[in-house]
Amino acid sequence: MDTAEIKSILAEGLKIDGNITAEGKIRIDGVVNGNVKGHFIIVGQTSKITGDVEAEKLVIMGEVNGNVKGTSVEIKSSAKIKGDLTVKEISVEPGASIEGKVQTGDFLKTEQTSLTETTE
């Protein structure tokens, strides 16, 4: 993981109440009470997110209490997720905790298509 590419770091000890939308690569090591959306999100080992997380690329090492949606998701051994996962590609290390429904493969594309159709 090249930290030089990371545009923003929400450090351990930082608490945010509210939604976050970020461009580029960000790392969260603190506490977030709200939804997080971005291009590339790293959920650090000390992080705790209470809200939905959505990104093209996600690396989860910490705790997420909410639904996860992404194109490519890596769930590391220290991760704890309580919520549904809808992802195109997923990798899960032994030791990770996941409580919720997991949909992989074409489900992400199908869900996005159906959302577009219902909003028109």
Side-chain angles (χ1 to χ4, degrees):
M1 210 176 315
D2 183 7
T3 56
E5 296 177 23
I6 297 174
K7 290 190 174 190
S8 296
I9 297 175
L10 305 176
E12 185 177 358
L14 180 66
K15 180 181 177 186
I16 295 178
D17 289 316
N19 297 334
I20 297 172
T21 302
E23 291 184 16
K25 188 177 193 180
I26 68 164
R27 180 180 176 109
I28 299 171
D29 289 312
V31 175
V32 177
N33 293 313
N35 299 329
V36 181
K37 188 174 184 176
H39 175 70
F40 189 148
I41 300 171
I42 299 166
V43 179
Q45 200 165 351
T46 58
S47 66
K48 182 174 181 179
I49 298 173
T50 303
D52 296 340
V53 179
E54 183 177 348
E56 252 182 71
K57 172 94 173 135
L58 262 169
V59 178
I60 302 173
M61 297 177 271
E63 190 174 330
V64 176
N65 292 304
N67 297 326
V68 174
K69 185 189 272 189
T71 303
S72 175
V73 178
E74 290 179 45
I75 301 172
K76 301 298 186 180
S77 61
S78 56
K80 292 181 177 132
I81 301 169
K82 287 185 181 179
D84 295 341
L85 281 79
T86 306
V87 300
K88 183 79 171 165
E89 300 170 2
I90 188 170
S91 69
V92 182
E93 288 184 352
S97 299
I98 302 171
E99 181 183 316
K101 182 172 63 171
V102 179
Q103 296 179 332
T104 64
D106 290 335
F107 286 106
L108 182 65
K109 184 178 176 186
T110 304
E111 185 175 303
Q112 288 175 335
T113 303
S114 64
L115 288 174
T116 305
E117 291 169 359
T118 57
T119 58
E120 291 178 356

